[in-house]
Coordinates of all heavy atoms in Angstrom, one line a residue:
M1 N 38.7 -5.4 -3.5 CA 38.5 -4.3 -2.7 C 37.8 -3.2 -3.3 O 36.9 -2.5 -2.7 CB 39.9 -3.9 -2.1 CG 39.9 -2.7 -1.3 SD 39.8 -3.2 0.4 CE 40.0 -1.6 1.2
I2 N 38.1 -2.8 -4.5 CA 37.5 -1.7 -5.2 C 36.1 -2.1 -5.5 O 35.2 -1.2 -5.5 CB 38.3 -1.4 -6.5 CG1 39.7 -0.8 -6.2 CG2 37.5 -0.5 -7.4 CD1 40.5 -0.6 -7.4
R3 N 35.8 -3.4 -5.9 CA 34.4 -3.7 -6.1 C 33.5 -3.6 -4.9 O 32.4 -3.1 -4.9 CB 34.4 -5.2 -6.6 CG 34.7 -5.3 -8.0 CD 34.4 -6.8 -8.4 NE 35.7 -7.3 -9.0 CZ 35.9 -8.6 -9.3 NH1 35.0 -9.4 -9.1 NH2 37.0 -8.9 -9.8
R4 N 34.1 -4.0 -3.7 CA 33.3 -3.9 -2.5 C 33.0 -2.3 -2.2 O 31.9 -2.0 -1.7 CB 34.1 -4.4 -1.3 CG 34.1 -5.9 -1.3 CD 34.9 -6.5 -0.2 NE 35.1 -7.9 -0.3 CZ 35.9 -8.6 0.5 NH1 36.6 -8.0 1.4 NH2 36.1 -9.8 0.3
L5 N 34.0 -1.5 -2.4 CA 33.8 -0.1 -2.2 C 32.8 0.5 -3.1 O 31.9 1.3 -2.7 CB 35.1 0.7 -2.4 CG 35.1 2.2 -2.1 CD1 34.7 2.5 -0.7 CD2 36.5 2.8 -2.4
L6 N 32.9 0.1 -4.4 CA 31.9 0.5 -5.4 C 30.5 0.1 -5.0 O 29.5 0.8 -5.0 CB 32.3 0.0 -6.8 CG 31.3 0.5 -7.9 CD1 31.3 2.0 -8.0 CD2 31.8 -0.2 -9.2
L7 N 30.4 -1.2 -4.6 CA 29.0 -1.7 -4.2 C 28.5 -1.0 -3.0 O 27.3 -0.7 -2.9 CB 29.2 -3.2 -3.9 CG 27.8 -3.9 -3.5 CD1 26.8 -3.8 -4.6 CD2 28.1 -5.4 -3.2
A8 N 29.3 -0.7 -2.0 CA 28.9 0.0 -0.8 C 28.4 1.4 -1.1 O 27.4 1.9 -0.6 CB 30.0 0.0 0.2
T9 N 29.1 2.0 -2.1 CA 28.7 3.4 -2.5 C 27.4 3.4 -3.2 O 26.5 4.2 -2.9 CB 29.8 4.0 -3.4 OG1 31.1 4.0 -2.7 CG2 29.5 5.4 -3.8
V10 N 27.2 2.4 -4.1 CA 25.9 2.3 -4.8 C 24.8 2.1 -3.8 O 23.7 2.7 -3.9 CB 26.0 1.2 -5.9 CG1 24.7 0.9 -6.5 CG2 26.9 1.7 -7.0
L11 N 25.0 1.2 -2.9 CA 23.9 0.9 -1.9 C 23.6 2.0 -1.0 O 22.5 2.3 -0.7 CB 24.3 -0.3 -1.1 CG 24.3 -1.7 -1.8 CD1 24.9 -2.8 -0.9 CD2 22.9 -2.0 -2.3
A12 N 24.6 2.8 -0.6 CA 24.4 4.0 0.2 C 23.6 5.0 -0.6 O 22.7 5.6 -0.1 CB 25.7 4.5 0.6
L13 N 23.9 5.3 -1.9 CA 23.2 6.2 -2.7 C 21.8 5.8 -2.9 O 20.9 6.6 -2.9 CB 23.9 6.4 -4.0 CG 25.2 7.2 -3.9 CD1 25.9 7.3 -5.3 CD2 25.0 8.7 -3.4
A14 N 21.5 4.5 -3.1 CA 20.2 4.0 -3.3 C 19.4 4.2 -2.0 O 18.2 4.6 -2.1 CB 20.2 2.5 -3.7
A15 N 19.9 4.0 -0.9 CA 19.2 4.2 0.4 C 18.8 5.7 0.6 O 17.7 6.0 1.1 CB 20.1 3.7 1.6
V16 N 19.8 6.6 0.2 CA 19.4 8.0 0.4 C 18.3 8.4 -0.6 O 17.4 9.1 -0.3 CB 20.7 8.8 0.1 CG1 20.4 10.3 0.0 CG2 21.7 8.6 1.3
T17 N 18.4 7.9 -1.8 CA 17.4 8.2 -2.9 C 16.0 7.7 -2.4 O 15.0 8.4 -2.5 CB 17.8 7.6 -4.2 OG1 19.1 8.1 -4.6 CG2 16.8 7.9 -5.3
V18 N 15.9 6.5 -1.9 CA 14.6 5.9 -1.5 C 14.1 6.7 -0.3 O 12.9 7.0 -0.2 CB 14.8 4.4 -1.2 CG1 13.5 3.9 -0.5 CG2 15.1 3.6 -2.5
S19 N 14.9 7.0 0.7 CA 14.4 7.7 1.9 C 14.0 9.1 1.6 O 13.3 9.7 2.5 CB 15.5 7.6 3.0 OG 16.6 8.3 2.6
T20 N 14.5 9.8 0.6 CA 14.1 11.2 0.4 C 13.0 11.4 -0.7 O 12.7 12.5 -1.0 CB 15.4 12.0 -0.2 OG1 15.8 11.4 -1.3 CG2 16.5 12.0 1.0
A21 N 12.5 10.3 -1.2 CA 11.4 10.3 -2.1 C 10.1 10.9 -1.4 O 9.8 10.4 -0.3 CB 11.1 9.0 -2.8
P22 N 9.3 11.7 -2.0 CA 8.1 12.2 -1.4 C 7.1 11.2 -1.2 O 7.0 10.3 -2.1 CB 7.7 13.4 -2.3 CG 8.3 13.1 -3.6 CD 9.6 12.4 -3.3
A23 N 6.3 11.2 -0.2 CA 5.3 10.2 0.0 C 4.1 10.6 -0.9 O 3.8 11.7 -1.1 CB 4.8 10.2 1.5
Q24 N 3.4 9.5 -1.2 CA 2.2 9.7 -2.0 C 1.0 9.9 -1.1 O 0.9 9.3 -0.1 CB 2.0 8.5 -3.0 CG 3.1 8.2 -4.0 CD 3.2 9.4 -4.9 OE1 2.2 10.0 -5.4 NE2 4.5 9.9 -5.1
A25 N 0.1 10.8 -1.6 CA -1.1 11.0 -0.8 C -2.0 9.8 -0.9 O -2.0 9.1 -1.9 CB -1.8 12.3 -1.3
R26 N -2.8 9.5 0.1 CA -3.8 8.5 0.1 C -4.9 8.8 -0.8 O -5.3 9.9 -1.0 CB -4.3 8.3 1.5 CG -4.9 7.0 1.8 CD -5.2 6.9 3.3 NE -6.6 7.1 3.5 CZ -7.1 7.1 4.7 NH1 -6.4 7.1 5.8 NH2 -8.5 7.2 4.8
A27 N -5.5 7.7 -1.4 CA -6.6 7.9 -2.3 C -7.8 8.3 -1.6 O -8.1 7.8 -0.5 CB -6.8 6.7 -3.1
C28 N -8.6 9.2 -2.2 CA -9.8 9.7 -1.5 C -10.9 8.7 -1.9 O -11.1 8.3 -3.0 CB -10.2 11.1 -2.1 SG -11.5 11.9 -1.2
K29 N -11.7 8.3 -0.9 CA -12.9 7.4 -1.1 C -14.0 8.1 -1.9 O -14.1 9.3 -1.9 CB -13.5 7.0 0.2 CG -12.5 6.1 1.1 CD -13.2 5.8 2.4 CE -12.3 5.1 3.3 NZ -12.9 4.9 4.6
Y30 N -14.8 7.3 -2.5 CA -16.0 7.8 -3.2 C -16.9 8.5 -2.3 O -17.2 8.0 -1.2 CB -16.6 6.7 -4.0 CG -17.9 7.1 -4.7 CD1 -17.9 7.9 -5.9 CD2 -19.2 6.7 -4.2 CE1 -19.0 8.2 -6.5 CE2 -20.3 7.2 -4.9 CZ -20.2 7.9 -6.0 OH -21.4 8.3 -6.6
N31 N -17.4 9.7 -2.7 CA -18.4 10.5 -2.0 C -17.8 11.0 -0.7 O -18.5 11.1 0.3 CB -19.7 9.7 -1.7 CG -20.9 10.6 -1.6 OD1 -20.9 11.7 -2.1 ND2 -22.0 10.1 -1.0
Y32 N -16.5 11.3 -0.7 CA -15.9 11.9 0.4 C -15.1 13.2 0.0 O -14.7 13.3 -1.2 CB -14.8 11.0 1.1 CG -15.3 10.0 2.1 CD1 -16.1 8.9 1.7 CD2 -15.1 10.2 3.4 CE1 -16.7 8.1 2.6 CE2 -15.6 9.3 4.4 CZ -16.4 8.3 4.0 OH -16.9 7.4 4.9
T33 N -14.9 14.1 0.9 CA -14.1 15.3 0.7 C -12.8 15.0 1.4 O -12.8 14.6 2.6 CB -14.7 16.6 1.2 OG1 -16.0 16.8 0.5 CG2 -13.8 17.8 1.0
C34 N -11.7 15.1 0.7 CA -10.4 14.9 1.3 C -9.4 16.0 1.3 O -9.4 16.7 0.2 CB -9.8 13.6 0.6 SG -10.8 12.2 0.8
V35 N -8.6 16.1 2.3 CA -7.6 17.2 2.3 C -6.3 16.5 2.8 O -6.2 15.9 3.8 CB -7.9 18.4 3.3 CG1 -6.8 19.4 3.2 CG2 -9.3 19.0 2.8
T36 N -5.2 16.8 2.0 CA -3.9 16.3 2.4 C -3.0 17.5 2.5 O -2.9 18.3 1.6 CB -3.3 15.3 1.3 OG1 -4.2 14.3 1.0 CG2 -1.9 14.7 1.8
V37 N -2.4 17.6 3.7 CA -1.6 18.8 4.0 C -0.1 18.3 4.1 O 0.2 17.3 4.8 CB -1.9 19.4 5.3 CG1 -1.1 20.7 5.6 CG2 -3.4 19.9 5.3
F38 N 0.8 18.9 3.3 CA 2.2 18.6 3.3 C 3.0 19.6 4.1 O 2.9 20.8 3.9 CB 2.7 18.6 1.8 CG 2.0 17.6 1.0 CD1 0.9 17.9 0.2 CD2 2.4 16.2 1.0 CE1 0.2 17.0 -0.6 CE2 1.7 15.3 0.3 CZ 0.7 15.6 -0.6
Y39 N 3.9 19.1 5.0 CA 4.7 19.9 5.8 C 6.2 19.9 5.4 O 6.6 19.0 4.8 CB 4.6 19.5 7.3 CG 3.2 19.7 7.8 CD1 2.2 18.7 7.8 CD2 2.7 20.9 8.3 CE1 1.0 18.8 8.3 CE2 1.4 21.1 8.8 CZ 0.6 20.0 8.7 OH -0.7 20.2 9.2
S40 N 7.0 20.9 5.8 CA 8.3 21.0 5.4 C 9.2 19.9 6.2 O 10.2 19.5 5.7 CB 8.9 22.4 5.7 OG 8.8 22.7 7.0
D41 N 8.9 19.6 7.4 CA 9.7 18.7 8.2 C 8.8 17.9 9.2 O 7.6 18.1 9.3 CB 10.9 19.3 8.8 CG 10.5 20.5 9.7 OD1 9.3 20.6 10.2 OD2 11.3 21.4 10.0
S42 N 9.4 17.1 10.0 CA 8.7 16.3 11.0 C 8.0 17.1 12.1 O 7.2 16.6 12.8 CB 9.6 15.2 11.6 OG 10.7 15.8 12.3
T43 N 8.4 18.3 12.3 CA 7.8 19.1 13.4 C 6.4 19.6 13.0 O 5.6 20.0 13.8 CB 8.6 20.3 13.7 OG1 8.7 21.2 12.6 CG2 10.0 19.9 14.3
R44 N 6.1 19.5 11.7 CA 4.8 19.8 11.1 C 4.3 21.2 11.5 O 3.2 21.4 11.9 CB 3.7 18.8 11.5 CG 4.0 17.4 10.8 CD 3.0 16.4 11.2 NE 2.9 15.3 10.3 CZ 3.8 14.3 10.2 NH1 4.9 14.4 11.0 NH2 3.7 13.3 9.4
T45 N 5.2 22.2 11.4 CA 4.9 23.6 11.7 C 4.7 24.4 10.5 O 4.0 25.4 10.5 CB 5.9 24.2 12.6 OG1 7.2 24.1 12.0 CG2 6.0 23.5 14.0
T46 N 5.4 24.1 9.4 CA 5.3 24.9 8.2 C 4.7 24.1 7.0 O 5.2 23.1 6.6 CB 6.8 25.3 7.7 OG1 7.5 26.0 8.8 CG2 6.8 26.3 6.6
V47 N 3.5 24.6 6.6 CA 2.8 24.0 5.5 C 3.5 24.4 4.2 O 3.7 25.6 3.9 CB 1.3 24.4 5.5 CG1 0.6 23.8 4.3 CG2 0.7 24.0 6.8
V48 N 3.9 23.4 3.3 CA 4.5 23.7 2.0 C 3.6 23.3 0.8 O 3.9 23.5 -0.3 CB 5.9 23.1 1.9 CG1 6.8 23.7 2.9 CG2 5.8 21.6 2.1
G49 N 2.5 22.7 1.1 CA 1.6 22.3 0.0 C 0.3 21.7 0.6 O 0.2 21.3 1.7
E50 N -0.7 21.6 -0.3 CA -2.0 21.0 0.1 C -2.7 20.5 -1.2 O -2.6 21.1 -2.2 CB -2.8 22.1 0.8 CG -4.1 21.6 1.4 CD -4.8 22.7 2.1 OE1 -4.5 22.8 3.3 OE2 -5.7 23.4 1.6
K51 N -3.4 19.4 -1.0 CA -4.2 18.8 -2.0 C -5.6 18.7 -1.5 O -5.8 18.1 -0.4 CB -3.6 17.4 -2.4 CG -4.4 16.7 -3.5 CD -3.8 15.4 -3.8 CE -4.6 14.7 -4.9 NZ -4.0 13.3 -5.1
Y52 N -6.5 19.2 -2.3 CA -8.0 19.2 -1.9 C -8.8 18.4 -2.9 O -8.6 18.7 -4.1 CB -8.5 20.6 -1.8 CG -10.0 20.7 -1.5 CD1 -10.5 20.5 -0.2 CD2 -10.9 21.0 -2.5 CE1 -11.8 20.5 0.0 CE2 -12.2 21.1 -2.3 CZ -12.7 20.8 -1.0 OH -14.1 20.9 -0.8
E53 N -9.6 17.4 -2.5 CA -10.5 16.7 -3.4 C -11.9 16.9 -3.0 O -12.2 16.5 -1.7 CB -10.1 15.3 -3.5 CG -8.7 15.1 -4.0 CD -8.2 13.6 -3.8 OE1 -8.7 12.7 -4.7 OE2 -7.4 13.3 -2.9
D54 N -12.8 17.4 -3.8 CA -14.2 17.5 -3.3 C -15.0 16.3 -3.7 O -14.6 15.4 -4.3 CB -14.8 18.8 -3.8 CG -15.0 18.9 -5.3 OD1 -14.8 17.9 -6.0 OD2 -15.3 20.0 -5.8
C55 N -16.3 16.4 -3.3 CA -17.3 15.3 -3.5 C -17.5 14.9 -5.0 O -17.9 13.8 -5.3 CB -18.6 15.6 -2.9 SG -18.4 15.8 -1.1
T56 N -17.3 15.9 -5.9 CA -17.6 15.7 -7.3 C -16.3 15.2 -8.0 O -16.4 14.9 -9.2 CB -18.0 17.0 -8.0 OG1 -17.0 18.0 -7.9 CG2 -19.3 17.5 -7.4
G57 N -15.2 15.0 -7.4 CA -14.0 14.5 -7.9 C -13.0 15.6 -8.5 O -12.0 15.3 -9.0
V58 N -13.3 16.8 -8.2 CA -12.4 17.9 -8.6 C -11.2 18.0 -7.6 O -11.4 18.0 -6.4 CB -13.2 19.3 -8.6 CG1 -12.2 20.4 -8.9 CG2 -14.3 19.2 -9.6
V59 N -10.1 18.0 -8.2 CA -8.8 18.0 -7.4 C -8.1 19.4 -7.6 O -8.0 19.8 -8.7 CB -7.9 16.9 -7.8 CG1 -6.6 16.9 -7.0 CG2 -8.6 15.5 -7.7
D60 N -7.7 20.0 -6.5 CA -6.9 21.2 -6.5 C -5.7 21.0 -5.7 O -5.8 20.5 -4.5 CB -7.8 22.4 -6.1 CG -7.2 23.7 -6.2 OD1 -6.3 23.8 -7.1 OD2 -7.5 24.5 -5.4
M61 N -4.6 21.4 -6.2 CA -3.3 21.2 -5.4 C -2.5 22.5 -5.6 O -2.4 23.0 -6.7 CB -2.5 20.0 -5.8 CG -1.3 19.7 -5.0 SD -0.5 18.2 -5.4 CE 0.9 18.4 -4.4
W62 N -1.7 22.9 -4.5 CA -0.8 24.0 -4.6 C 0.4 23.5 -3.8 O 0.4 22.7 -2.9 CB -1.3 25.2 -4.0 CG -1.7 25.2 -2.6 CD1 -2.9 24.9 -2.0 CD2 -0.8 25.5 -1.5 NE1 -2.9 25.0 -0.7 CE2 -1.6 25.4 -0.3 CE3 0.5 25.9 -1.4 CZ2 -1.0 25.6 1.0 CZ3 1.0 26.1 -0.1 CH2 0.3 26.0 1.0
G63 N 1.6 24.1 -4.1 CA 2.8 23.8 -3.4 C 3.5 22.5 -3.8 O 3.4 22.1 -4.9
V64 N 4.2 21.9 -2.8 CA 5.0 20.7 -3.1 C 4.6 19.6 -2.3 O 4.0 19.8 -1.2 CB 6.5 21.0 -3.0 CG1 7.0 22.0 -4.0 CG2 6.8 21.4 -1.6
R65 N 4.9 18.4 -2.7 CA 4.6 17.2 -1.9 C 5.9 16.8 -1.1 O 7.0 17.0 -1.6 CB 4.2 16.0 -2.8 CG 2.9 16.1 -3.4 CD 2.7 14.8 -4.2 NE 1.3 14.9 -4.8 CZ 0.7 13.9 -5.4 NH1 1.3 12.8 -5.4 NH2 -0.5 14.1 -6.0
T66 N 5.7 16.4 0.1 CA 6.9 16.0 0.9 C 6.5 14.7 1.6 O 5.4 14.2 1.5 CB 7.2 17.1 2.0 OG1 6.1 17.2 2.9 CG2 7.6 18.4 1.4
G67 N 7.4 14.2 2.4 CA 7.2 12.9 3.1 C 6.4 13.2 4.4 O 6.1 12.2 5.1
Y68 N 6.2 14.4 4.8 CA 5.6 14.8 6.0 C 4.2 15.3 5.7 O 4.1 16.4 5.2 CB 6.4 15.8 6.8 CG 7.8 15.4 6.9 CD1 8.8 15.9 6.2 CD2 8.2 14.4 7.9 CE1 10.1 15.6 6.3 CE2 9.5 14.0 8.1 CZ 10.5 14.6 7.3 OH 11.8 14.2 7.4
L69 N 3.2 14.4 5.9 CA 1.8 14.8 5.5 C 0.8 14.4 6.6 O 1.1 13.5 7.4 CB 1.5 14.2 4.2 CG 1.5 12.7 4.0 CD1 0.2 12.1 4.2 CD2 2.1 12.4 2.6
E70 N -0.4 15.1 6.5 CA -1.5 14.7 7.3 C -2.7 14.6 6.3 O -2.8 15.4 5.5 CB -1.8 15.6 8.4 CG -0.8 15.6 9.5 CD -1.1 16.6 10.6 OE1 -2.1 17.3 10.6 OE2 -0.3 16.7 11.6
F71 N -3.6 13.6 6.5 CA -4.7 13.3 5.6 C -5.9 13.4 6.4 O -6.1 12.8 7.5 CB -4.5 11.9 5.0 CG -5.5 11.5 4.0 CD1 -5.5 12.0 2.7 CD2 -6.6 10.7 4.4 CE1 -6.4 11.6 1.8 CE2 -7.6 10.4 3.5 CZ -7.5 10.9 2.2
Y72 N -6.9 14.1 5.9 CA -8.2 14.3 6.5 C -9.2 14.0 5.5 O -9.2 14.3 4.3 CB -8.4 15.7 6.9 CG -7.4 16.3 7.8 CD1 -6.3 17.1 7.3 CD2 -7.4 16.0 9.2 CE1 -5.3 17.5 8.1 CE2 -6.4 16.5 10.0 CZ -5.4 17.3 9.5 OH -4.4 17.8 10.3
E73 N -10.3 13.3 5.9 CA -11.4 13.0 5.0 C -12.7 13.1 5.8 O -12.8 12.8 7.0 CB -11.3 11.6 4.4 CG -11.4 10.4 5.4 CD -11.1 9.1 4.7 OE1 -11.0 9.0 3.5 OE2 -11.1 8.1 5.4
S74 N -13.8 13.4 5.1 CA -15.1 13.5 5.7 C -16.2 13.2 4.6 O -16.0 13.6 3.5 CB -15.3 14.9 6.3 OG -15.3 15.9 5.3
P75 N -17.3 12.5 5.0 CA -18.3 12.2 4.1 C -19.0 13.5 3.6 O -19.1 14.5 4.2 CB -19.2 11.3 4.8 CG -18.9 11.5 6.3 CD -17.5 12.0 6.3
C76 N -19.5 13.4 2.3 CA -20.3 14.5 1.7 C -21.7 14.6 2.3 O -22.2 13.6 2.7 CB -20.3 14.4 0.2 SG -18.6 14.5 -0.5

């Protein structure tokens, strides 16, 4: 009984840890300008971070990464 409870607790904690991990931004294609905008929650009303990659490969990022993001890309 104690083993089952311990196993259930470990699995529950693992599920919470995996679901709260921040999403990774998509890779920017060669010769493209890319912007990834990170939001605080699923309503996407509050921006908490942004990653900008220009055509020459320079990357600039501010704020934090979250699981709520939008990715934009355009050719140079």
Side-chain angles (χ1 to χ4, degrees):
M1 174 92 175
I2 292 175
R3 280 189 236 170
R4 288 182 188 166
L5 181 61
L6 181 61
L7 180 61
T9 304
V10 168
L11 290 175
L13 288 174
V16 169
T17 302
V18 170
S19 66
T20 59
Q24 296 299 316
R26 199 170 105 186
C28 191
K29 294 178 187 176
Y30 176 73
N31 210 22
Y32 273 72
T33 298
C34 301
V35 178
T36 307
V37 181
F38 298 96
Y39 296 94
S40 62
D41 56 21
S42 61
T43 62
R44 290 177 164 74
T45 54
T46 306
V47 176
V48 293
E50 189 174 270
K51 181 179 179 185
Y52 175 79
E53 300 173 72
D54 68 8
C55 296
T56 62
V58 176
V59 178
D60 186 28
M61 184 176 172
W62 64 268
V64 296
R65 291 184 179 191
T66 64
Y68 307 102
L69 57 96
E70 289 182 1
F71 182 80
Y72 305 98
E73 65 184 358
S74 60
C76 295

